[in-house]
Each structure stands twice: as structure tokens, then as C-alpha cells.
Amino acid sequence: MEKALLATLEGRNAKVGALSINHLFPNRYVHAIGPFVLVDQICPAGNVPGDPPSEAGKHAHPHRGVATFSYILEGEMEYADSYGNRATAKAGDAHWLMSGKGILHEEIPPNTPQGHSLHAVQWWINLPATVKGDTPVYMFLDQSHFPEIMLPDAAGTAKILIGQIGNDTSPVPVYNNHFICHLRLHPGAKYTMPVEKRYEYAVFVPSGEAIVNGQKQGASRLSVFDFGGDEIAFHNEAARATDILLFGGASQNEPFVTQGPFVMNNREEIADAYRDFFDGKYGSITYSYNA
């Protein structure tokens, strides 16, 4: 039985520097999907200017109590943090950060030449209270780190970004039975995916279109499913391959508050997070450039 579709939601557009961001949620209809408390799409953009060395650090910001997962669809995204981690993710790669008790980081595009594009999606994952005080951990994930399985009837592939399918498991730590799967369906292909009745699910098509449970899913819109039902059916009617991002997990059983870059269990902890940031307890990012 197919999961019932609750709603298909438009995002909210915003500018962050030279980037156009599509804030998919939270909004007044959806506060969380499993432990996911925010999803942003960095909309496709060519000729994105990188920052000169004199402006290094202007995009640096803190996080606490949340894990962030940035998945690159096109282009490149550079990462640096106050624990000395630094990496550049290209198409198919990802940055994962467990911010724990607090960290300062920056994710910025290098210069993106005309004719090339930057396109990425970032998820915020609420951490259990028992993990919010842990030492931050960063992982750079090359595309080869993600298991990719062939779908039945040569329908396409499923890349496991977070979570598990069968015996294949992503190396990204999981705290709340959550998952992200990148489906790529071949032209004309159909695939029905078995899912958990008791979990919360959402589908996002970053570009193009797909048919999800018999309904057209347009680009840059978020579809949210009800509980019950044990499958979701996908169909690509287009003449080229299409990408579909499926994510979700178990409902949260702890209260949480999101404010700015922090996700904590109550407003007192939010106040503590800001106080520690202003007191410089999250450190600083060291920048060095060749002359």
C-alpha cells in the first residue's frame, strides 16, 4: 500500500551573498521530518564569484546541537572550521559536521566559471540531548564512500547518503534512525521502494520532474507523506535521467528549539549557546594563503 501524500510545499527564496537559497522547511506547515529540522537548496547558479583572501572568514558562523550534511550536486563547495578541518567537496561529495558542544565553520563556493554551475542541498539533523555536549566531529565524504546499488529492472541507482538499504550502509553516523537516499531513475523507468509505516518521509526533486505515487513532483518542491503505507512509487516520464532525494526517519521524542544556527532542547540552552559563542568558546578559523 502506497504512503499517502500529505502536502507538496513551495520553498521560500532568499539571497545569501552571491547565492540563491531555497528554504524548503521549516515553515508554518512542517517543523520537522524525523530528526531533520531544516533543508536548504542552494539553487543552480553559474559564474559565482569566490571571495578574495582579504574577505576570508566573513561567512564563518557557529553551530551547536545539530549535525549538518551538505551534498554537492554540481560544482564545488569549500569547507573550513575552528578545529582545523579543511576540504573541498565536488559533485557527488559531501561535508558532514556533528557540531556537538559548539564549533565555528564556513562553507563557501570557490570561483565558479561561466558555463559551470553550483547546486547543492543541505540538511540539518537534530542531535539527541545525550550528544549535544560531545566534541564536534567533521567528515569529508568522497562520492566513492557512499554505497550505490542497482535498482531492479535496470531502473537506475540508489546512492545511500545516510542510513542503510539491505546490507549496504553509509559511513555517516546515525543517531535517530534517519536516512537520505539519492535515487537516479533512467528515462521511462519505474521503481517502487519499500518503506517503514512508522517513519516520516519526504521527497525532493532538485531539478526536472518525477511522478511520485501517481502525482507529478516538480523541481524544487517538497512532498511530505503521512504515516502508514509501506511503499513509495517513482516514475520518470522524461527522456533523460532524473534525480530524486528521499529522506526521513523516526519521529523525535525530545523537545527541541531552533534559533539561528543552534538546535537545543530548550530556550535556556539556546541562551547558553549564544553566550558561549560571544565569549569565544567555539574558537576561530585560521586562514593562510600563498602570496
Side-chain angles (χ1 to χ4, degrees), residues 70-90:
S70 301
Y71 182 53
I72 314 304
L73 296 167
E74 296 179 77
E76 299 181 3
M77 186 71 75
E78 296 178 345
Y79 176 97
D81 67 34
S82 54
Y83 276 66
N85 299 300
R86 187 177 293 273
T88 298
K90 301 180 180 180

Side-chain angles (χ1 to χ4, degrees), residues 1 5 16 49 113 126 155 169 171 187 206 235 262 267:
M1 178 180 175
L5 182 65
V16 178
N126 183 30
T169 305
H235 182 199
F262 305 122
R267 296 202 175 276

Side-chain angles (χ1 to χ4, degrees), residues 10-141:
E10 297 278 353
R12 176 172 53 87
N13 294 325
K15 291 288 289 185
V16 178
L19 301 177
S20 295
I21 306 298
N22 180 22
H23 293 293
L24 291 163
F25 81 90
N27 52 45
R28 61 179 175 169
Y29 303 107
V30 178
H31 300 289
I33 297 168
F36 295 94
V37 295
L38 178 146
V39 176
D40 279 349
Q41 175 193 23
I42 300 175
C43 300
N47 198 25
V48 177
D51 291 324
S54 61
E55 297 186 6
K58 76 174 186 178
H59 299 297
H61 58 278
H63 281 297
R64 184 169 177 169
V66 65
T68 64
F69 182 78
S70 301
Y71 182 53
I72 314 304
L73 296 167
E74 296 179 77
E76 299 181 3
M77 186 71 75
E78 296 178 345
Y79 176 97
D81 67 34
S82 54
Y83 276 66
N85 299 300
R86 187 177 293 273
T88 298
K90 301 180 180 180
D93 302 341
H95 299 296
W96 179 82
L97 170 67
M98 193 286 290
S99 65
K101 64 183 181 181
I103 190 172
L104 198 68
H105 86 152
E106 184 175 58
E107 290 181 276
I108 57 173
N111 284 309
T112 303
Q114 190 70 41
H116 294 73
S117 185
L118 172 67
H119 190 191
V121 180
Q122 183 178 86
W123 290 262
W124 287 17
I125 304 156
N126 183 30
L127 296 173
T130 55
V131 182
K132 288 183 185 293
D134 287 0
T135 300
V137 177
Y138 165 78
M139 291 175 62
F140 165 73
L141 295 131

Side-chain angles (χ1 to χ4, degrees), residues 185-204:
L185 294 188
H186 294 153
K190 295 181 179 181
Y191 171 61
T192 298
M193 186 173 193
V195 295
E196 291 279 351
K197 292 182 178 181
R198 57 195 173 94
Y199 284 180
E200 299 174 6
Y201 285 82
V203 165
F204 174 61

Side-chain angles (χ1 to χ4, degrees), residues 15 30 72 75 99 122 133 153 168 175 177 181 228 234 245 287:
K15 291 288 289 185
V30 178
I72 314 304
S99 65
Q122 183 178 86
D153 302 320
D168 295 298
Y175 303 101
N177 295 322
C181 181
F234 302 96
L245 297 171
Y287 297 91

